[in-house]
Amino acid sequence: MTLAVFLTAAVLVASGIAAAAPGTVAASDREVRFVSDGVPAYGTLHVPAHRAGARVPAALLIPGSGPTNRDGDEPPTVTPGTLKLLANALDQDGVATLRFDKYGTGRTGLGGLDPAALDLPTFTRQAVVAEQTLAEQPEVDRDEVSIVGHSEGGLQAMLVARRVRVKSLVLLAPQDLRLLDLLKIQLDAQATAADQAALTKVITDFRAGRELDYTGMSTQLATFLQQAIFSPVNTRFVRSDDAVYPPSVARPGPRVLLTCGTQDTQVPCWTTSPLAAALRTLPRPLPVDHFQHAPGTPVNDQVLDPSVVTALRTFLEHR
């Protein structure tokens, strides 16, 4: 989850790599390679300044949907740098991070995979291997590994946590309903009554495996659905994601920070209660004022919402 969070320029400047004090190891970045489904994936391990010989807590960063690379960008037009900014923010709390190029992005690319064959479990397996790779790094405390995910990445974080041992989960505006239910909420907000009814029928037919009929739907909405959602290259992934009801895969146990944005129209705060109940998050999801689902206005400002940084920092202080 592209991650929709994050920091001020002043904090970002302060997070630059500085010379190490005596007896400490300087902060550093290094390229990491791991293999899932026979495809090499590449990422950046950031290790904060730390006492020589010590092991530090760490977090795997998982972005939201779409072709989002290790830095949280979809170049050339969408370059908010959110995952890189998040790594910088976590550095301030002494937390190492691994962010990686998922399939179809960055140095990883497709690695020979057929994009039409990709599904949600394929990306989950990749994230599981990424978490295991992070936990094996010599600077990392295996008992202090967390996962941070935004939007679809929040769902992935929960799926990964069912397969590996993690200390905590940070779910930033996570996907909390079935994919097409969330899509309908998003589109209904700007659709006519006729489009709303037609969309309901298309979703029902898709779930039933029937041929899709866009009769009665506006050309604009029909074109969007045919090209961006139900295209042949996306169908397998959409069907696999839509099959998952996020509260049903939530596993109580790890400490959880669950946020929602008060200005978020893609994953509104009012949709989060079932997921919070499944996670036993008390007392409720943390609403973050002015937090939108998109990474800022304009999108490429490379600025993190300070209220999210505060929430994350407070959560880490009690880990």
Side-chain angles (χ1 to χ4, degrees):
M1 320 128 97
T2 49
L3 270 174
V5 271
F6 312 111
L7 200 63
T8 63
V11 176
L12 181 57
V13 171
S15 69
I17 297 176
T24 67
V25 179
S28 64
D29 288 333
R30 69 171 176 264
E31 184 87 347
V32 171
R33 177 185 183 276
F34 59 90
V35 178
S36 177
D37 288 338
V39 177
Y42 300 87
T44 299
L45 175 74
H46 177 79
V47 181
H50 59 283
R51 182 169 46 84
R55 291 178 178 261
V56 300
L60 176 68
L61 308 184
I62 306 180
S65 60
T68 309
N69 66 20
R70 73 179 79 182
D71 289 336
D73 295 337
E74 297 180 24
T77 57
V78 183
T79 56
T82 48
L83 293 189
K84 186 174 182 179
L85 292 174
L86 184 57
N88 289 335
L90 290 169
D91 170 272
Q92 298 299 292
D93 290 289
V95 179
T97 53
L98 175 61
R99 58 190 198 271
F100 62 96
D101 294 327
K102 64 182 182 179
Y103 297 124
T105 74
R107 187 178 175 189
T108 300
L110 286 170
L113 296 175
D114 178 0
L118 295 176
D119 56 14
L120 187 68
T122 305
F123 288 96
T124 302
R125 291 193 297 272
Q126 186 189 40
V128 166
V129 179
E131 192 280 340
Q132 294 169 339
T133 300
L134 174 61
E136 293 168 355
Q137 299 305 306
E139 301 93 342
V140 170
D141 183 343
R142 179 64 185 90
D143 295 326
E144 295 288 335
V145 175
S146 301
I147 305 177
V148 180
H150 167 258
S151 194
E152 182 191 287
L155 171 59
Q156 285 285 19
M158 291 186 290
L159 292 170
V160 173
R162 293 173 65 88
R163 298 179 55 179
V164 299
R165 175 169 52 90
V166 296
K167 179 67 176 291
S168 60
L169 295 175
V170 176
L171 309 177
L172 303 169
Q175 179 183 331
D176 54 4
L177 298 175
R178 293 178 68 180
L179 177 63
L180 295 180
D181 290 339
L182 271 180
L183 177 69
K184 189 172 190 317
I185 288 171
Q186 296 163 11
L187 295 178
D188 277 357
Q190 51 192 328
T192 64
D195 273 351
Q196 291 175 6
L199 177 59
T200 296
K201 183 178 186 306
V202 166
I203 291 174
T204 300
D205 288 344
F206 179 79
R207 287 174 170 170
R210 294 190 289 265
E211 183 177 354
L212 303 187
D213 181 2
Y214 298 92
T215 301
M217 184 179 291
S218 66
T219 300
Q220 181 180 10
L221 180 57
T223 299
F224 167 75
L225 293 174
Q226 290 170 323
Q227 294 182 354
I229 308 299
F230 301 122
S231 69
V233 75
N234 291 333
T235 295
R236 182 181 177 90
F237 181 86
V238 170
R239 195 175 298 283
S240 66
D241 192 321
D242 185 62
V244 179
Y245 178 56
S248 72
V249 300
R251 181 176 66 85
R255 292 182 63 241
V256 179
L257 171 64
L258 171 59
T259 73
C260 65
T262 59
Q263 305 299 314
D264 191 346
T265 59
Q266 295 188 48
V267 183
C269 281
W270 63 265
T271 67
T272 57
S273 295
L275 178 58
L279 289 165
R280 299 176 189 171
T281 302
L282 299 174
R284 60 184 183 277
L286 176 66
V288 179
D289 287 340
H290 310 303
F291 177 45
Q292 303 181 52
H293 201 71
T297 306
V299 71
N300 294 336
D301 260 4
Q302 299 209 359
V303 174
L304 305 184
D305 188 324
S307 58
V308 176
V309 176
T310 298
L312 181 59
R313 189 152 289 158
T314 300
F315 179 73
L316 291 174
E317 286 174 354
H318 296 88
R319 61 176 177 255

